[in-house]
Short mmCIF file of all heavy atoms in Angstrom, two decimals:
data_model
loop_
_atom_site.label_atom_id
_atom_site.label_comp_id
_atom_site.label_asym_id
_atom_site.label_seq_id
_atom_site.Cartn_x
_atom_site.Cartn_y
_atom_site.Cartn_z
N MET T 5 -55.41 20.75 52.84
CA MET T 5 -54.83 21.73 53.75
C MET T 5 -53.97 22.80 53.10
O MET T 5 -53.78 23.94 53.56
CB MET T 5 -53.97 21.08 54.86
CG MET T 5 -54.86 20.17 55.81
SD MET T 5 -53.74 19.15 56.92
CE MET T 5 -52.86 20.42 57.71
N ALA T 6 -53.46 22.45 51.93
CA ALA T 6 -52.54 23.44 51.19
C ALA T 6 -53.48 24.71 50.77
O ALA T 6 -52.90 25.79 50.75
CB ALA T 6 -52.08 22.87 49.98
N GLY T 7 -54.76 24.51 50.60
CA GLY T 7 -55.58 25.66 50.23
C GLY T 7 -55.65 26.66 51.36
O GLY T 7 -55.94 27.84 51.16
N LEU T 8 -55.36 26.18 52.67
CA LEU T 8 -55.49 27.22 53.73
C LEU T 8 -54.34 28.21 53.62
O LEU T 8 -54.45 29.30 54.09
CB LEU T 8 -55.32 26.36 55.03
CG LEU T 8 -56.44 25.48 55.46
CD1 LEU T 8 -55.97 24.64 56.66
CD2 LEU T 8 -57.72 26.33 55.67
N SER T 9 -53.21 27.80 53.01
CA SER T 9 -52.09 28.78 52.98
C SER T 9 -52.08 29.54 51.71
O SER T 9 -51.21 30.41 51.49
CB SER T 9 -50.73 27.90 53.10
OG SER T 9 -50.66 27.10 52.03
N ALA T 10 -53.03 29.42 50.79
CA ALA T 10 -53.10 30.32 49.59
C ALA T 10 -53.71 31.67 50.02
O ALA T 10 -54.41 31.76 50.96
CB ALA T 10 -53.96 29.68 48.52
N PRO T 11 -53.26 32.68 49.35
CA PRO T 11 -53.75 34.01 49.71
C PRO T 11 -55.26 34.12 49.54
O PRO T 11 -55.81 33.66 48.54
CB PRO T 11 -53.05 35.05 48.79
CG PRO T 11 -52.62 34.17 47.62
CD PRO T 11 -52.49 32.72 48.20
N ASP T 19 -50.24 38.35 50.20
CA ASP T 19 -49.31 37.56 50.89
C ASP T 19 -49.93 36.16 51.28
O ASP T 19 -51.17 36.03 51.61
CB ASP T 19 -48.82 38.25 52.27
CG ASP T 19 -48.22 39.58 51.92
OD1 ASP T 19 -47.33 39.57 51.16
OD2 ASP T 19 -48.55 40.60 52.50
N PRO T 20 -49.14 35.14 51.36
CA PRO T 20 -49.83 33.87 51.60
C PRO T 20 -50.25 33.82 53.15
O PRO T 20 -49.69 34.52 53.90
CB PRO T 20 -48.55 32.91 51.44
CG PRO T 20 -47.41 33.67 51.53
CD PRO T 20 -47.78 35.04 51.01
N HIS T 21 -51.01 32.95 53.42
CA HIS T 21 -51.43 32.58 54.81
C HIS T 21 -50.19 31.87 55.47
O HIS T 21 -50.06 30.73 55.25
CB HIS T 21 -52.64 31.66 54.77
CG HIS T 21 -53.89 32.42 54.80
ND1 HIS T 21 -55.16 31.77 54.78
CD2 HIS T 21 -54.23 33.70 54.67
CE1 HIS T 21 -56.13 32.68 54.69
NE2 HIS T 21 -55.47 33.85 54.58
N LEU T 33 -48.90 27.90 58.50
CA LEU T 33 -49.60 27.33 57.39
C LEU T 33 -48.70 27.15 56.20
O LEU T 33 -48.15 26.17 55.83
CB LEU T 33 -50.78 28.24 57.03
CG LEU T 33 -51.92 28.19 58.17
CD1 LEU T 33 -53.07 29.19 57.69
CD2 LEU T 33 -52.42 26.84 58.38
N HIS T 34 -48.43 28.37 55.52
CA HIS T 34 -47.67 28.24 54.17
C HIS T 34 -46.29 27.65 54.37
O HIS T 34 -45.94 26.74 53.66
CB HIS T 34 -47.62 29.75 53.73
CG HIS T 34 -46.81 29.81 52.32
ND1 HIS T 34 -45.47 29.99 52.39
CD2 HIS T 34 -47.24 29.75 51.14
CE1 HIS T 34 -44.97 30.10 51.12
NE2 HIS T 34 -46.08 29.88 50.34
N ASP T 35 -45.62 27.98 55.42
CA ASP T 35 -44.28 27.47 55.52
C ASP T 35 -44.17 26.07 55.91
O ASP T 35 -43.23 25.46 55.82
CB ASP T 35 -43.49 28.34 56.53
CG ASP T 35 -43.23 29.69 56.17
OD1 ASP T 35 -43.60 30.18 55.07
OD2 ASP T 35 -42.65 30.55 56.85
N GLN T 36 -45.31 25.55 56.44
CA GLN T 36 -45.38 24.20 56.79
C GLN T 36 -46.17 23.22 55.87
O GLN T 36 -45.80 22.15 55.73
CB GLN T 36 -46.08 24.04 58.20
CG GLN T 36 -46.18 22.71 58.76
CD GLN T 36 -46.67 22.64 60.26
OE1 GLN T 36 -46.29 21.76 61.01
NE2 GLN T 36 -47.58 23.53 60.54
N ILE T 37 -47.18 23.85 55.19
CA ILE T 37 -48.02 23.07 54.36
C ILE T 37 -47.71 23.34 52.84
O ILE T 37 -47.86 22.45 51.97
CB ILE T 37 -49.49 23.37 54.61
CG1 ILE T 37 -49.75 23.09 56.03
CG2 ILE T 37 -50.40 22.58 53.69
CD1 ILE T 37 -51.23 23.60 56.40
N GLY T 38 -47.23 24.57 52.52
CA GLY T 38 -47.03 24.94 51.14
C GLY T 38 -48.34 25.29 50.47
O GLY T 38 -49.40 25.48 51.21
N ALA T 39 -48.25 25.57 49.24
CA ALA T 39 -49.47 26.04 48.61
C ALA T 39 -49.33 25.64 47.04
O ALA T 39 -48.18 25.83 46.53
CB ALA T 39 -49.78 27.50 48.57
N LEU T 40 -50.33 25.10 46.48
CA LEU T 40 -50.33 24.76 45.08
C LEU T 40 -50.53 25.92 44.21
O LEU T 40 -51.24 26.81 44.48
CB LEU T 40 -51.42 23.72 44.75
CG LEU T 40 -51.32 22.36 45.42
CD1 LEU T 40 -52.64 21.55 45.15
CD2 LEU T 40 -50.08 21.62 44.96
N PRO T 41 -49.67 26.04 43.17
CA PRO T 41 -49.77 27.23 42.22
C PRO T 41 -51.15 27.49 41.71
O PRO T 41 -51.53 28.68 41.59
CB PRO T 41 -48.65 26.90 41.08
CG PRO T 41 -47.73 25.93 41.69
CD PRO T 41 -48.53 25.07 42.69
N ILE T 42 -51.85 26.37 41.44
CA ILE T 42 -53.15 26.73 40.83
C ILE T 42 -54.10 27.38 41.89
O ILE T 42 -54.97 28.19 41.57
CB ILE T 42 -53.86 25.37 40.31
CG1 ILE T 42 -55.09 25.69 39.59
CG2 ILE T 42 -54.03 24.40 41.43
CD1 ILE T 42 -55.73 24.60 38.91
N GLU T 43 -53.85 27.03 43.19
CA GLU T 43 -54.70 27.53 44.18
C GLU T 43 -54.32 29.02 44.46
O GLU T 43 -55.24 29.91 44.63
CB GLU T 43 -54.57 26.86 45.52
CG GLU T 43 -55.22 25.34 45.46
CD GLU T 43 -54.83 24.52 46.68
OE1 GLU T 43 -53.82 24.74 47.33
OE2 GLU T 43 -55.73 23.61 46.97
N ILE T 44 -53.09 29.36 44.30
CA ILE T 44 -52.68 30.67 44.47
C ILE T 44 -53.14 31.57 43.31
O ILE T 44 -53.63 32.71 43.49
CB ILE T 44 -51.13 30.82 44.56
CG1 ILE T 44 -50.60 30.03 45.79
CG2 ILE T 44 -50.59 32.26 44.51
CD1 ILE T 44 -49.06 30.06 45.92
N LEU T 45 -53.03 31.07 42.12
CA LEU T 45 -53.54 31.69 40.88
C LEU T 45 -55.07 32.06 41.06
O LEU T 45 -55.45 33.16 40.77
CB LEU T 45 -53.19 30.87 39.72
CG LEU T 45 -53.81 31.47 38.41
CD1 LEU T 45 -53.17 32.80 37.98
CD2 LEU T 45 -53.57 30.50 37.23
N ALA T 47 -56.86 32.07 43.71
CA ALA T 47 -57.22 33.04 44.79
C ALA T 47 -56.89 34.46 44.36
O ALA T 47 -57.62 35.44 44.67
CB ALA T 47 -56.22 32.71 46.01
N ALA T 60 -57.92 22.14 41.60
CA ALA T 60 -56.69 21.44 41.80
C ALA T 60 -56.84 19.95 41.66
O ALA T 60 -55.93 19.32 41.18
CB ALA T 60 -56.16 21.84 43.28
N LEU T 121 -54.26 15.39 48.55
CA LEU T 121 -53.97 15.92 47.19
C LEU T 121 -52.51 16.14 46.98
O LEU T 121 -52.01 15.90 45.86
CB LEU T 121 -54.72 17.35 47.04
CG LEU T 121 -54.85 17.90 45.60
CD1 LEU T 121 -55.52 17.03 44.67
CD2 LEU T 121 -55.46 19.26 45.74
N LEU T 122 -51.74 16.60 47.97
CA LEU T 122 -50.37 16.83 47.86
C LEU T 122 -49.61 15.49 47.57
O LEU T 122 -48.66 15.44 46.81
CB LEU T 122 -49.81 17.43 49.08
CG LEU T 122 -50.46 18.90 49.47
CD1 LEU T 122 -49.70 19.46 50.60
CD2 LEU T 122 -50.44 19.81 48.29
N PHE T 125 -50.09 14.63 43.89
CA PHE T 125 -49.24 15.34 43.06
C PHE T 125 -47.73 14.78 43.13
O PHE T 125 -47.04 14.66 42.16
CB PHE T 125 -49.20 16.81 43.28
CG PHE T 125 -50.25 17.51 42.54
CD1 PHE T 125 -51.46 18.09 43.20
CD2 PHE T 125 -50.28 17.68 41.19
CE1 PHE T 125 -52.43 18.79 42.54
CE2 PHE T 125 -51.24 18.35 40.45
CZ PHE T 125 -52.30 18.85 41.17
N LEU T 158 -44.28 21.85 38.68
CA LEU T 158 -44.59 23.03 39.50
C LEU T 158 -45.55 22.71 40.68
O LEU T 158 -45.63 23.38 41.64
CB LEU T 158 -45.16 24.27 38.71
CG LEU T 158 -44.17 24.91 37.82
CD1 LEU T 158 -44.92 25.94 36.87
CD2 LEU T 158 -43.04 25.56 38.51
N HIS T 159 -46.36 21.63 40.47
CA HIS T 159 -47.24 21.11 41.55
C HIS T 159 -46.74 19.97 42.40
O HIS T 159 -47.28 19.49 43.19
CB HIS T 159 -48.64 20.81 40.94
CG HIS T 159 -49.38 22.01 40.46
ND1 HIS T 159 -49.12 22.71 39.34
CD2 HIS T 159 -50.42 22.66 41.08
CE1 HIS T 159 -49.95 23.69 39.26
NE2 HIS T 159 -50.74 23.66 40.21
N ILE T 160 -45.48 19.66 42.03
CA ILE T 160 -44.75 18.54 42.80
C ILE T 160 -43.90 19.12 43.83
O ILE T 160 -43.79 18.68 45.04
CB ILE T 160 -44.00 17.66 41.87
CG1 ILE T 160 -45.01 16.75 41.05
CG2 ILE T 160 -43.10 16.75 42.68
CD1 ILE T 160 -44.28 15.94 39.98
N PHE T 161 -43.22 20.25 43.57
CA PHE T 161 -42.14 20.74 44.41
C PHE T 161 -42.63 21.51 45.57
O PHE T 161 -42.13 21.36 46.68
CB PHE T 161 -41.12 21.54 43.63
CG PHE T 161 -40.29 20.71 42.76
CD1 PHE T 161 -40.13 21.00 41.33
CD2 PHE T 161 -39.71 19.49 43.15
CE1 PHE T 161 -39.42 20.25 40.50
CE2 PHE T 161 -38.92 18.73 42.37
CZ PHE T 161 -38.77 19.10 40.95
N PRO T 162 -43.51 22.58 45.47
CA PRO T 162 -43.64 23.57 46.50
C PRO T 162 -44.61 23.22 47.66
O PRO T 162 -45.38 23.96 48.08
CB PRO T 162 -44.19 24.75 45.77
CG PRO T 162 -45.15 24.18 44.64
CD PRO T 162 -44.40 22.86 44.26
N HIS T 163 -44.39 21.94 48.10
CA HIS T 163 -45.23 21.47 49.25
C HIS T 163 -44.61 20.28 49.88
O HIS T 163 -43.65 19.62 49.23
CB HIS T 163 -46.63 21.08 48.84
CG HIS T 163 -46.77 20.16 47.79
ND1 HIS T 163 -46.58 18.80 47.91
CD2 HIS T 163 -46.97 20.41 46.39
CE1 HIS T 163 -46.72 18.16 46.77
NE2 HIS T 163 -47.02 19.13 45.81
N PRO T 164 -44.99 19.77 51.10
CA PRO T 164 -44.32 18.61 51.67
C PRO T 164 -44.89 17.23 51.16
O PRO T 164 -44.71 16.32 51.84
CB PRO T 164 -44.57 18.84 53.14
CG PRO T 164 -45.95 19.60 53.24
CD PRO T 164 -45.89 20.52 51.98
N GLY T 165 -45.47 17.15 50.04
CA GLY T 165 -45.98 15.90 49.47
C GLY T 165 -44.84 15.11 48.84
O GLY T 165 -45.20 14.15 48.15
N SER T 214 -40.11 27.27 41.76
CA SER T 214 -40.60 26.90 43.11
C SER T 214 -39.72 27.33 44.25
O SER T 214 -40.05 26.94 45.44
CB SER T 214 -40.85 25.40 43.19
OG SER T 214 -41.73 24.88 42.15
N GLN T 217 -40.89 29.15 47.58
CA GLN T 217 -41.63 28.27 48.51
C GLN T 217 -40.92 27.09 49.00
O GLN T 217 -41.01 26.76 50.10
CB GLN T 217 -42.98 27.76 47.68
CG GLN T 217 -44.00 28.74 47.46
CD GLN T 217 -45.35 28.20 46.91
OE1 GLN T 217 -45.29 28.08 45.66
NE2 GLN T 217 -46.18 27.67 47.61
N LEU T 218 -40.01 26.58 48.18
CA LEU T 218 -39.19 25.47 48.67
C LEU T 218 -38.22 25.95 49.75
O LEU T 218 -37.91 25.35 50.74
CB LEU T 218 -38.32 25.00 47.60
CG LEU T 218 -38.89 23.89 46.70
CD1 LEU T 218 -37.99 23.43 45.64
CD2 LEU T 218 -39.24 22.53 47.53
N ALA T 220 -38.83 28.39 51.92
CA ALA T 220 -39.66 28.56 53.12
C ALA T 220 -39.90 27.19 53.78
O ALA T 220 -39.87 27.04 54.98
CB ALA T 220 -40.96 29.22 52.72
N LEU T 221 -40.24 26.18 52.95
CA LEU T 221 -40.39 24.80 53.44
C LEU T 221 -39.26 24.25 54.10
O LEU T 221 -39.21 23.71 55.33
CB LEU T 221 -41.00 23.96 52.42
CG LEU T 221 -42.36 24.09 51.93
CD1 LEU T 221 -42.56 23.36 50.64
CD2 LEU T 221 -43.36 23.75 52.96
#
Side-chain angles (χ1 to χ4, degrees):
M5 290 169 62
L8 294 173
S9 63
D19 297 307
H21 273 178
L33 293 179
H34 179 270
D35 294 359
Q36 181 171 214
I37 303 170
L40 296 172
I42 188 173
E43 292 175 331
I44 296 177
L45 173 63
L121 189 63
L122 303 184
F125 274 111
L158 290 176
H159 287 78
I160 289 176
F161 290 132
H163 55 74
S214 306
Q217 285 184 272
L218 273 176
L221 288 168

